[in-house]
């Protein structure tokens, strides 16, 4: 009987494939020589889908053995290639790979922009129960202000629709009002943006434009009550000390606000400590606002003035398509009248895998499989998270994770799950959360909007099990 012999193909990881021959790896996966189209390749890959690449090519790229290949949606880009640059295998990223932040007191975050300074925390760096300050993402719209001298001399003015305009130093603020401490998540409105197809304008965040720190400050509502809110008070307007990118000091880099009910919540704070230390300059010290659960742009850093207005604020970052999402769905990539856009407030539900890291290589047990304990976090803006599910077979079946309770409202919720990867090969761990209202995450980013807010597609992590 003639024996059928398959050619001996050594299985290779994506990392090896790219390290050996980047051009060929691109060609294998993308079916063309994209030397002059690498940016497009990168952009498409991050969005999670390929144009016209076959499963065979993907299999070849990831080392040919994909135990759940039959469950893989057509056109899916392997997560090993589709995640944030930092999480990609270093060899793949080498030529125009991620630039990492180099800043005293900060971890090597992924630099998304230098001016203004924007840096993202790779998901696997969000594995602590409370995000350490050095790992916390950075988002600036303008320049970093120069602050010197006594922190307690920092002044904050409250004016507008109040009976007694106040100007308080931080020292006075600490004396007059009771400090409180909460674990609260802060998330950039653009977090997840890189999942939008077509690409939406702005920093191409993965899921790491967020962190959950321990914040200490005084309640904004106590301060506003001391100033005496007039019945006409409807909205806050925030101003800070950071110069506009142009260097002009009379032009705010950003000036947003919130509806009064959010400002009066017990968790809306004027913060002066982060994780038990004086609030660092890069995170808005000496003092900043924190409105947990809402787009991070409301949480003004280096805050100097809170102007109470009788109508929706219209400062830089409040008008046009800035921090606005579509009311009725719009055609992705198209335009929509301003009347169909509303201000982004509470952020949508999201879960991330924080361990293992994307691209992890694991060794199979003697039994040929690989048990794996997954860890992650989930949060849902103003809401709590009801459940988190994980899948190892491209979403064909889902398994419920053990979900922890928040330590206080607006804390993120940590989760764990045990899975067994049945044999050697390439896998993707997918996770998704459902919020207290029953809303879950979409497979691909939905609700496209011109500046790309609120994308909360599933987080996917590539894992290779070797013998
Ligand atoms: N004064 C000022 N406050 C600001 C910003 C800014 O550019 N200037 N950026 C906002 C945005 S868009 C976000 S997401 C958060 C980021 O806070 P962090 O840099 O401490 O992570 O700060 C907000 N507060
Ligand atoms: Mo942001």
């Amino acid at each position: 009987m003639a024996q059928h012999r398959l050619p001996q193909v050594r299985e290779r990881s994506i990392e090896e494939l790219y390290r050996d021959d980047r051009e060929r790896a691109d060609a294998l996966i993308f079916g063309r020589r994209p030397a002059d189209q690498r940016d497009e390749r990168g952009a498409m890959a991050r969005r999670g889908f390929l144009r016209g690449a076959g499963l065979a090519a993907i299999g070849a790229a990831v080392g040919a053995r994909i135990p759940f290949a039959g469950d893989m949606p057509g056109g899916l880009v392997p997560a090993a290639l589709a995640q944030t640059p930092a999480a990609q295998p270093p060899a793949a990223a080498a030529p125009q790979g991620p630039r990492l932040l180099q800043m005293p007191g900060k971890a090597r975050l992924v630099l998304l922009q230098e001016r203004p300074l924007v840096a993202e925390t790779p998901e696997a760096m969000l594995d602590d129960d409370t995000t350490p300050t050095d790992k916390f993402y950075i988002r600036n719209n303008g320049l970093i202000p120069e602050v010197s001298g006594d922190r307690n001399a920092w002044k904050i003015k409250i004016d507008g629709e109040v009976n007694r305009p106040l100007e308080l130093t931080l020292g006075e603020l600490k004396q007059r009002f009771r400090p409180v401490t909460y674990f609260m998540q802060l998330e950039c409105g653009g977090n997840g943006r890189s999942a939008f197809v077509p690409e939406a304008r702005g920093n191409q965040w993965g899921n790491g434009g967020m962190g959950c720190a321990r914040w200490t400050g005084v309640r904004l509502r106590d301060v506003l009550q001391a100033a005496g809110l007039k019945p006409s008070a409807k909205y806050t307007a925030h101003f800070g000390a950071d110069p506009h990118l142009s260097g002009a000091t009379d032009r705010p880099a950003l000036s947003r606000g919130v509806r009064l009910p959010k400002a009066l919540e017990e968790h809306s704070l004027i913060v002066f400590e982060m994780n038990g230390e004086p609030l660092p300059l890069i995170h808005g010290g000496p003092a900043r606002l924190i409105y947990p659960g809402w787009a991070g742009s409301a949480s003004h850093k280096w805050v100097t003035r809170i102007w109470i207005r009788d109508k929706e604020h219209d400062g830089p970052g409040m008008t046009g398509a800035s921090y606005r999402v579509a009311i009725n769905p719009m055609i992705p990539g198209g335009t929509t009248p301003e009347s169909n856009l509303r201000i982004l407030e509470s952020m949508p539900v999201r879960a991330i895998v924080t361990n293992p890291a994307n691209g992890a290589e694991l060794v199979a047990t003697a039994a040929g499989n690989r048990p794996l304990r997954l860890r992650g976090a989930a949060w849902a803006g103003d809401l709590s998270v009801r459940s988190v599910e994980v899948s190892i077979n491209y979403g064909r079946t889902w398994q419920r994770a053990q979900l922890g309770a928040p330590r206080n409202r607006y804390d993120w919720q940590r989760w764990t799950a045990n899975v067994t990867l049945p044999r050697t090969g390439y896998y993707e761990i997918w996770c998704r959360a459902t919020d207290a209202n029953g809303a879950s995450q979409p497979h691909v980013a939905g609700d496209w909007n011109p500046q790309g807010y609120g994308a909360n597609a599933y987080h996917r992590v590539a894992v290779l099990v070797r013998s």
Side-chain angles (χ1 to χ4, degrees):
M1 199 170 92
Q3 207 171 325
H4 222 73
R5 261 232 166 137
L6 287 170
Q8 280 293 305
V9 182
R10 195 173 73 84
E11 292 186 7
R12 296 196 297 174
S13 68
I14 287 177
E15 182 178 348
E16 286 177 296
L17 196 75
Y18 268 87
R19 190 165 53 221
D20 295 351
D21 185 349
R22 188 186 162 83
E23 293 282 308
R24 196 174 147 263
D26 273 344
L28 257 174
I29 300 165
F30 299 95
R32 61 193 152 94
R33 286 187 50 135
D36 49 355
Q37 295 167 339
R38 278 205 184 130
D39 285 342
E40 189 199 346
R41 179 198 75 77
M44 283 307 295
R46 276 198 306 282
R47 279 166 189 81
F49 288 86
L50 290 176
R51 269 193 277 238
L55 184 61
I58 293 171
V62 299
R65 185 178 281 186
I66 305 179
F68 293 117
D71 298 316
M72 214 168 179
L76 184 84
V77 171
L81 297 173
Q83 301 293 311
T84 55
Q88 280 188 27
Q96 55 282 106
R99 287 187 305 148
L100 301 181
L101 181 72
Q102 310 242 8
M103 181 183 264
K106 294 298 292 186
R108 305 195 77 200
L109 306 179
V110 177
L111 199 59
L112 296 183
Q113 242 192 116
E114 218 151 15
R115 200 171 183 275
L117 182 65
V118 182
E120 154 157 28
T121 315
E123 291 91 342
M125 248 195 223
L126 290 170
D127 199 37
D128 303 270
D129 288 347
T130 304
T131 310
T133 303
D134 67 318
K135 295 180 183 167
F136 207 93
Y137 82 100
I138 298 170
R139 167 61 165 130
N140 295 319
N141 289 267
L143 304 174
I144 300 164
E146 275 173 37
V147 179
S148 58
D150 178 11
R151 310 173 62 92
N152 284 329
W154 184 262
K155 284 190 182 140
I156 302 172
K157 189 158 87 180
I158 315 284
D159 63 354
E161 304 300 309
V162 294
N163 297 317
R164 295 171 294 280
L166 296 175
E167 190 171 42
L168 296 168
T169 65
L170 183 54
E172 288 166 337
L173 210 71
K174 289 175 183 170
Q175 273 174 6
R176 271 184 72 172
F177 306 98
R178 190 168 72 86
V180 290
T181 299
Y182 298 114
F183 298 95
M184 301 195 287
Q185 36 98 359
L186 182 68
E187 181 174 22
C188 184
N191 200 24
R193 181 179 289 133
S194 64
F196 275 122
V197 182
E199 180 171 330
R201 249 178 301 146
N203 292 294
Q204 296 299 304
W205 298 100
N207 294 294
M210 84 81 59
C212 185
R214 187 167 162 265
W215 308 98
T216 301
V218 297
R219 292 194 173 104
L220 180 57
R221 77 171 179 208
D222 292 350
V223 180
L224 294 180
Q225 272 158 16
L229 289 166
K230 291 185 175 169
S232 52
K234 286 211 165 61
Y235 223 89
T236 64
H238 316 139
F239 299 87
D242 48 332
H244 188 266
L245 271 189
S246 65
T249 45
D250 56 345
R251 226 174 123 193
L254 177 78
S255 177
R256 291 177 43 79
V258 300
R259 286 186 285 119
L260 202 60
K262 181 68 180 176
L264 297 179
E265 276 188 7
E266 64 171 307
H267 295 86
S268 296
L269 307 184
I270 302 176
V271 158
F272 44 81
E273 274 179 28
M274 180 177 189
N275 294 325
E277 302 282 343
L279 183 64
L281 177 69
I282 193 64
H283 293 296
R288 77 174 300 169
L289 296 169
I290 292 284
Y291 294 103
W294 282 30
S297 49
S299 293
H300 218 87
K301 306 200 276 191
W302 311 292
V303 65
T304 53
R305 179 186 176 205
I306 301 163
W307 177 30
I308 304 301
R309 302 199 60 176
D310 59 4
K311 58 174 189 200
E312 188 176 290
H313 183 42
D314 52 4
M318 287 299 283
T319 55
S322 292
Y323 299 104
R324 280 176 197 260
V325 291
I327 298 166
N328 293 307
M330 59 180 290
I331 294 170
T335 54
T336 196
E338 221 179 295
S339 58
N340 188 41
L341 294 173
R342 66 164 177 89
I343 292 181
L344 171 64
E345 296 185 332
S346 175
M347 292 295 291
V349 63
R350 188 189 311 271
I352 56 170
V353 177
T354 60
N355 192 271
N358 186 42
E361 295 194 7
L362 309 167
V363 177
T365 60
N369 62 17
R370 175 66 201 220
L372 186 58
R373 184 167 178 81
L374 309 174
R375 283 197 302 270
W379 60 94
D382 278 345
L383 301 173
S384 60
V385 175
R386 178 195 289 173
S387 63
V388 169
E389 293 157 295
V390 296
S391 176
I392 59 168
N393 54 20
Y394 305 96
R396 187 167 62 80
T397 57
W398 293 89
Q399 167 190 331
R400 200 131 169 176
Q402 288 78 51
L403 178 64
R407 291 164 289 186
N408 51 252
R409 190 180 175 197
Y410 294 114
D411 188 15
W412 64 7
Q413 288 166 254
R414 304 297 308 185
W415 61 263
T416 56
N418 295 312
V419 297
T420 298
L421 305 176
R423 53 178 293 192
T424 57
Y426 173 86
Y427 294 87
E428 295 190 7
I429 313 290
W430 290 13
C431 72
R432 68 174 185 202
T434 301
D435 71 24
N437 285 348
S440 186
Q441 295 177 247
H443 182 172
V444 294
D447 297 327
W448 194 94
N449 55 86
Q451 297 201 13
Y453 302 108
N456 65 337
Y458 303 160
H459 182 212
R460 302 157 51 203
V461 164
V463 171
L464 198 76
V465 180
R466 301 184 165 289
S467 51

